[in-house]
Amino acid sequence: MLKQLYNLIAQNDSNSQMQIANSHVQMAKSHVHIAELQAQIVNSAAKDNAQVKTLTYLGIFFLPANLIAALLGIQGYEMTGKLFLIFLAYTVPFGILVFGAFNLHMWWRKRRQTKLARRGSVMPEISFNPQQNEDIEMRDMQRRDSVAW
């Protein structure tokens, strides 16, 4: 009688453990799905970033010329002879200056992010491979622990 009662309790316990294990499996599957969706979002954000960068360079190319044309009061049909040379004389150096300033800013920003990454303020690399992310995370944790002690 006691053995049957023990078997019944063990079976009930086993069933509850199986339910818990199944719920953990379902949660893990949903976490994997969420991670895949986040990876898709990151990829689309990277594509958007590249497109915005292209538009920025186009703006850097055209805006100095538009500014000089507005300051000189030039409209498209008035670009003749001497006025066109004056326009070019101002636009080319100003365009080079703006393009150089933008590239200097981008270089400084990348340099600053690299310094922050070396200090551990920013995660320097991200991978969409879960195992590789764990390796990166472990390496960062070991580096932080060695600095803390």
Side-chain angles (χ1 to χ4, degrees), residues 7-21:
N7 287 339
L8 195 63
I9 291 172
Q11 184 180 10
N12 189 19
D13 187 45
S14 176
N15 287 338
S16 64
Q17 291 297 326
M18 284 297 289
Q19 288 175 351
I20 291 172

Side-chain angles (χ1 to χ4, degrees), residues 4-139:
Q4 289 175 341
L5 184 62
Y6 173 78
N7 287 339
L8 195 63
I9 291 172
Q11 184 180 10
N12 189 19
D13 187 45
S14 176
N15 287 338
S16 64
Q17 291 297 326
M18 284 297 289
Q19 288 175 351
I20 291 172
N22 286 335
S23 68
H24 284 286
V25 167
Q26 291 299 325
M27 283 178 26
K29 286 180 181 178
S30 67
H31 287 296
V32 167
H33 181 68
I34 290 171
E36 289 170 351
L37 291 176
Q38 288 175 338
Q40 290 174 357
I41 290 170
V42 167
N43 285 335
S44 67
K47 289 177 186 175
D48 289 345
N49 188 19
Q51 292 170 350
V52 168
K53 192 174 183 180
T54 302
L55 288 174
T56 301
Y57 279 113
L58 281 173
I60 286 173
F61 180 74
F62 286 110
L63 285 178
N66 287 335
L67 178 66
I68 299 298
L71 290 176
L72 294 177
I74 300 173
Q75 296 185 5
Y77 58 86
E78 294 177 351
M79 287 283 221
T80 57
K82 197 173 189 181
L83 190 59
F84 181 70
L85 292 176
I86 293 171
F87 173 74
L88 281 180
Y90 282 108
T91 302
V92 171
F94 187 59
I96 291 171
L97 179 73
V98 168
F99 189 75
F102 178 75
N103 282 327
L104 182 66
H105 168 72
M106 294 303 287
W107 170 79
W108 179 80
R109 187 173 162 204
K110 189 174 219 173
R111 183 173 169 242
R112 184 171 161 248
Q113 285 177 344
T114 304
K115 282 184 178 180
L116 288 174
R118 280 191 210 133
R119 275 194 259 153
S121 301
V122 178
M123 189 171 185
E125 53 185 317
I126 296 175
S127 170
F128 298 114
N129 179 355
Q131 181 60 40
Q132 194 173 6
N133 274 338
E134 286 179 20
D135 295 342
I136 292 168
E137 204 170 314
M138 287 301 291
R139 207 174 39 217

